[in-house]
Amino acid sequence: MPQWEGGKLPLQHKTLILGLGLILGGVFMWPHSHSPSDQRVAVALDKESWLSQLDYTPVLAEPVGKGPDFEKMVVKGDTLSGLFEEAKIDQQTLYQVLEADLNVLALDTLMPGNTIQFWLDDKGQLQKLELYFNAARQVIFTRFDDASFNAEEINIDGIWQNRTVKGQIQGSFYLSASKMGLTASEIQRIETLLKDKINFARDLRAGDKFSVLISDQYVAGQTTGSSTILGIDIHRGNRDINAYRYSDGNFYDDKGRSLQRAFQRIPLKHNYRISSRFNPKRLHPVTGRISPHNGTDFATPIGTKVIAPGDGVVTMVTNHPYAGKYIVIDYGNKYRTRFLHLSKALVRKGQKVTRGQVIALTGNTGRITGPHLHYEFLINGRAVDAIKAKIPMSKELSSKDKKEFAQLVDKCKKMMG
Ligand SMILES: [Zn+2]
């Protein structure tokens, strides 16, 4: 009963991480999908938005007024141990940071273009480590007296600004939408969302019209690269295919019928005992400090099948010395889930998965006291209680919601012309 997943790092994991390398290059782009879209993903329009964020002003004031002792923008091929070596920080300290990282799993998500900053004390010990992902997201590790670290996530919501993108089909939908300024990942989200309504490869004709309402995130006047689709309308022949995002995060057509398959609450085929609940205020049994439990632990025997709770794309399959083998699935639209301590992953990075698909087998990898599945549900980067959170679960809006939704559709339609 893994109330607490701490303890001593087993030796085999030390060797693991030393040889690990954590190659960062591969995570640069939005999920690759199967062949036809591989090429388009390589367009990587996101790259530009990442690059435009590089001359940032750090949001956080350094309390001692001292700049970092070592700072580097991550480039392709960089490894975590390599970065620590460059900063002259020993491997033992890296493990201590990785232990704190178990709660946020931020180090694995470093990408080329992100910045890592190290602050040292006069003995050359790491005092503070800051990861700068973009203006909306930073993670800061601070050293305690006992040489362990605290991980603090900073997620700034900023402001979301709407933009309408309109165009006509000339060639493929991808080319036409791309020409009007939609990114590869936005186009992929639209195609996934409407996949049961329209065959993008066959059904569209030259001259068909599309209109998309998008909300972009800005922090301190800069775009963060995060966007949410609010409305889509494709006018094909004399028929409209549309989708609007409601406040529950789900997409519905203008009659209020869900376009997405709803989420399943628990990513398992059967019920298992919950051995540790989501608890943002959990106390460390030894230090007494707050060490949040950002997920729900299910007491699953090794080899239990884990299923995708919704339709999404696998964005990470990796090993972590504390989290073990783990998988991240992104559902677009601000939702993400993480599955930790697996024995086997049955999917690869970039793969599309559908609700109910078996994605992995549970295990006891990482540093835990007994086999279990640690399941995290994140909304907009913040962990929520998967058992209680308001997630899209049903196929149709209630009559009360339908009224509110109709007003929203009216508003969207006006903005989309
Ligand atoms: Zn857990």
Side-chain angles (χ1 to χ4, degrees):
M1 28 32 2
Q3 278 298 318
W4 168 250
E5 297 168 33
K8 278 270 174 265
L9 182 66
L11 241 158
Q12 66 266 33
H13 287 139
K14 287 197 180 174
T15 25
L16 175 85
I17 183 94
L18 284 169
L20 185 59
L22 294 172
I23 301 290
L24 302 161
V27 271
F28 196 5
M29 280 147 196
W30 178 260
H32 297 261
S33 73
H34 51 76
S35 44
S37 45
D38 263 355
Q39 222 182 343
R40 28 167 107 156
V41 174
V43 174
L45 297 178
D46 284 355
K47 193 174 178 176
E48 280 161 21
S49 54
W50 287 119
L51 289 176
S52 69
Q53 293 153 27
L54 297 180
D55 52 343
Y56 64 91
T57 336
V59 175
L60 295 150
E62 171 52 23
V64 283
K66 176 179 156 237
D69 296 284
F70 178 77
E71 174 174 356
K72 194 183 171 191
M73 189 205 291
V74 177
V75 294
K76 203 173 171 183
D78 268 342
T79 66
L80 209 48
S81 45
L83 289 164
F84 270 65
E85 215 168 283
E86 284 183 66
K88 301 196 171 55
I89 304 299
D90 59 28
Q91 294 284 324
Q92 201 189 340
T93 307
L94 169 58
Y95 295 128
Q96 277 152 348
V97 173
L98 279 166
E99 181 171 5
D101 186 46
L102 174 63
N103 288 332
V104 284
L105 294 172
L107 284 160
D108 284 342
T109 62
L110 270 180
M111 295 188 287
N114 297 162
T115 303
I116 185 164
Q117 295 176 317
F118 296 80
W119 279 262
L120 315 183
D121 66 10
D122 38 16
K123 294 190 200 94
Q125 278 183 322
L126 182 65
Q127 285 304 112
K128 192 175 94 165
L129 177 72
E130 186 174 326
L131 311 178
Y132 187 95
F133 293 96
N134 57 54
R137 176 166 163 79
Q138 293 108 45
V139 175
I140 299 169
F141 298 92
T142 345
R143 190 178 186 273
F144 290 119
D145 291 341
D146 65 357
S148 67
F149 283 83
N150 175 57
E152 185 194 358
E153 261 185 305
I154 296 171
N155 287 302
I156 301 165
D157 208 26
I159 21 171
W160 292 80
Q161 266 175 13
N162 295 344
R163 137 179 84 106
T164 303
V165 176
K166 285 157 74 162
Q168 275 192 20
I169 301 295
Q170 278 161 335
S172 70
F173 175 68
Y174 179 80
L175 282 175
S176 318
S178 175
K179 207 165 75 186
M180 301 315 295
L182 291 181
T183 66
S185 72
E186 286 160 353
I187 297 169
Q188 193 183 30
R189 272 184 269 163
I190 294 171
E191 290 184 351
T192 307
L193 201 55
L194 296 178
K195 67 180 187 310
D196 296 335
K197 296 272 166 189
I198 188 166
N199 181 330
F200 281 89
R202 257 197 351 236
D203 295 349
L204 292 172
R205 301 281 174 268
D208 285 347
K209 293 188 179 76
F210 62 90
S211 178
V212 183
L213 181 63
I214 297 178
S215 192
D216 297 303
Q217 188 187 36
Y218 287 84
V219 172
Q222 292 177 351
T223 169
T224 65
S226 289
S227 65
T228 303
I229 291 166
L230 300 178
I232 308 162
D233 183 86
I234 296 177
H235 188 75
R236 173 181 151 237
N238 52 9
R239 179 162 105 82
D240 280 299
I241 295 140
N242 53 40
Y244 300 92
R245 184 184 188 273
Y246 188 49
S247 57
D248 64 359
N250 212 0
F251 280 89
Y252 301 85
D253 66 13
D254 56 2
K255 305 282 184 301
R257 290 174 299 224
S258 178
L259 290 162
Q260 289 164 310
R261 295 214 289 168
F263 273 100
Q264 185 166 321
R265 181 66 76 181
I266 286 166
L268 295 162
K269 286 186 169 170
H270 307 287
N271 281 324
Y272 290 87
R273 181 174 62 87
I274 292 176
S275 52
S276 180
R277 291 190 175 272
F278 175 84
N279 182 1
K281 295 202 167 70
R282 181 177 65 168
L283 296 180
H284 188 291
V286 179
T287 65
R289 287 192 294 255
I290 287 178
S291 175
H293 187 233
N294 285 336
T296 304
D297 291 350
F298 296 94
T300 47
I302 295 176
T304 305
K305 286 174 179 163
V306 182
I307 57 170
D311 296 352
V313 177
V314 178
T315 55
M316 195 174 288
V317 178
T318 193
N319 282 299
H320 186 283
Y322 295 88
K325 189 182 283 296
Y326 76 92
I327 293 178
V328 181
I329 299 182
D330 197 313
Y331 305 90
N333 212 25
K334 301 181 178 181
Y335 295 107
R336 234 174 341 126
T337 55
R338 295 199 281 229
F339 310 82
L340 275 58
H341 313 305
L342 305 169
S343 60
K344 194 173 170 55
L346 302 171
V347 288
R348 57 185 163 70
K349 191 180 164 212
Q351 188 177 331
K352 281 183 188 163
V353 292
T354 54
R355 176 181 145 146
Q357 182 177 341
V358 179
I359 54 161
L361 302 177
T362 64
N364 60 350
T365 56
R367 201 183 52 178
I368 49 175
T369 47
H372 67 274
L373 173 70
H374 170 106
Y375 175 54
E376 288 180 14
F377 200 101
L378 297 109
I379 300 180
N380 227 356
R382 287 186 184 87
V384 297
D385 187 347
I387 305 301
K388 293 184 186 149
K390 197 186 173 199
I391 55 175
M393 297 274 294
S394 73
K395 285 302 285 175
E396 196 157 343
L397 289 172
S398 68
S399 47
K400 181 174 147 266
D401 282 333
K402 264 187 179 162
K403 214 173 141 191
E404 200 183 316
F405 179 72
Q407 291 171 352
L408 185 135
V409 170
D410 273 353
K411 228 169 108 185
C412 280
K413 280 185 172 169
K414 278 195 190 99
M415 282 191 269
M416 292 160 69

